[in-house]
Amino acid sequence: MSYYLSPRFSDKLAVHITKNFMNIPGVSVPLILGVHGRKGEGKSFQCSLLFERMGIEPVRMSGGELESPDAGDPARLIRLRYREAAELVRVRGRMCVLLIEDLDAGAGRVDRGTQYTVNTQLVNATLMNIADNPTNVQLPGSYDSNLIKRVPIIVTGNDFSTLYAPLVRDGRMDKFYWEPDRTDRIGIIHGIFAADGLAPWEIEQLVDLFPDRSIDFFSALRSRLYDEQVRNFINTVGIDRVSLRLLNSIEPPPEFRSPDFSLHKLKEFGNLLLEEAQHVQKMRLVEEYMLSH
């Protein structure tokens, strides 16, 4: 399956990564690139496509790893992963990056109710220290006088205004706001439905039918069209035997025929997904619970 890599996205990341492996006289290059934007727009997936295109093997981290009951563990982990990436560059002689996904979820401060922990402080301080001294990254309790390879850091997130301001300042972090335009959306969604025989004009109409939906919406829509076949499989096997049939059976796995990917069917199931999303927004039971106490 051929997926679409946005030229704008590709250009921004490729330039940032390449500059960090070049020595440009008199030019200070930010080590960190922050890719931010609305949820579900494929930031991480576009990064993966670019890495594959450039032959880059990223060392990955998640915002969920940036908190721990043991103070200092997340900061040490960042240093460890950064040194791991630097070692890959040295040993393999190929580009590598440290990718931290959903940084704002782990190190951001959304409101006064968000606890600002010692680990949050140390994570911010560590990233700033690495950005300022990318070839001299030490592990706690030890010191290595040998300089390591410089490795660019890519971070993704939704709202970087929640991050510690000195971390996102110019000079430490270059910023890229990712909001796919109509051309990008058509290209990405064409890749999602590439194996399903939709004509280019049908892809364009599908995009225009749901102009405010994120890219993830269309992936969920494609998945939803297989629900009827899954339901028939459950009814045929018996709901009490599904586990045995899928996990402990010598029979071949079930086969799926291509469902009806007509524009009419996609619109029908797309509207069902919209209804479900609207119910989530309307319920707001938490507000009721908070008011009743």
Side-chain angles (χ1 to χ4, degrees):
M1 186 178 291
S2 177
Y3 290 107
Y4 173 88
L5 174 59
S6 165
R8 289 190 298 118
F9 200 102
S10 173
D11 176 76
K12 186 66 179 181
L13 264 71
V15 168
H16 177 82
I17 293 169
T18 304
K19 280 174 67 178
N20 270 278
F21 286 98
M22 301 174 76
N23 184 16
I24 307 175
V27 174
S28 177
V29 179
L31 187 76
I32 306 173
L33 173 64
V35 182
H36 60 120
R38 290 197 315 161
K39 63 183 185 298
E41 296 290 15
K43 295 179 287 295
S44 296
F45 190 63
Q46 288 286 300
C47 285
S48 296
L49 292 177
L50 187 275
F51 297 153
E52 184 178 350
R53 180 79 60 85
M54 294 185 71
I56 293 172
E57 181 180 350
V59 173
R60 296 177 180 268
M61 285 191 67
S62 163
E65 297 177 88
L66 301 182
E67 189 53 80
S68 168
D70 300 316
D73 269 6
R76 184 180 185 280
L77 183 60
I78 291 173
R79 292 178 179 274
L80 197 62
R81 296 276 172 85
Y82 186 87
R83 289 182 64 94
E84 178 186 337
E87 185 66 8
L88 286 174
V89 174
R90 186 187 70 82
V91 172
R92 299 185 182 180
R94 296 175 60 185
M95 287 182 175
C96 186
V97 302
L98 174 60
L99 174 66
I100 306 177
E101 300 181 86
D102 303 314
L103 175 65
D104 54 336
R109 194 172 189 182
V110 179
D111 52 32
R112 293 179 180 178
T114 305
Q115 189 175 10
Y116 198 72
T117 66
V118 171
N119 276 325
T120 309
Q121 292 176 306
L122 293 177
V123 163
N124 283 306
T126 296
L127 287 172
M128 290 190 295
N129 179 251
I130 295 175
D132 295 341
N133 304 280
T135 60
N136 184 15
V137 178
Q138 304 296 332
L139 293 176
S142 64
Y143 185 79
D144 183 359
S145 59
N146 297 316
L147 298 181
I148 64 174
K149 294 289 187 180
R150 179 187 178 104
V151 176
I153 300 175
I154 310 294
V155 300
T156 68
N158 299 126
D159 186 358
F160 283 173
S161 69
T162 64
L163 296 175
Y164 187 51
L167 173 62
V168 300
R169 72 164 173 81
D170 297 330
R172 284 198 177 114
M173 182 187 291
D174 195 8
K175 275 79 68 181
F176 175 52
Y177 181 69
W178 170 236
E179 183 177 27
D181 56 24
R182 186 173 181 272
T183 300
D184 290 326
R185 291 168 65 80
I186 289 172
I188 295 170
I189 293 162
H190 176 75
I192 292 173
F193 291 96
D196 305 318
L198 270 71
W201 66 268
E202 291 179 301
I203 295 292
E204 291 186 24
Q205 284 199 24
L206 180 61
V207 170
D208 293 336
L209 279 171
F210 305 102
D212 300 325
R213 296 290 95 187
S214 67
I215 299 300
D216 278 358
F217 170 85
F218 296 93
S219 294
L221 173 57
R222 185 177 186 275
S223 174
R224 182 62 69 89
L225 264 66
Y226 284 88
D227 282 7
E228 189 61 35
Q229 294 184 57
V230 175
R231 189 175 295 110
N232 290 337
F233 167 79
I234 294 171
N235 292 334
T236 301
V237 173
I239 196 168
D240 56 329
R241 295 185 57 81
V242 170
S243 178
L244 290 174
R245 174 64 178 82
L246 293 178
L247 302 179
N248 295 288
S249 175
I250 60 173
E251 297 182 62
E255 295 183 359
F256 294 92
R257 66 183 185 280
S258 180
D260 179 9
F261 280 102
S262 66
L263 197 59
H264 172 76
K265 200 71 172 177
L266 289 168
K267 181 180 179 181
E268 176 188 342
F269 278 81
N271 287 330
L272 290 175
L273 286 175
L274 279 180
E275 284 183 27
E276 292 171 0
Q278 289 167 357
H279 283 313
V280 173
Q281 295 298 319
K282 288 178 181 177
M283 289 300 290
R284 299 192 178 279
L285 289 177
V286 171
E287 293 182 3
E288 292 185 24
Y289 295 152
M290 294 297 289
L291 289 173
S292 63
H293 287 80

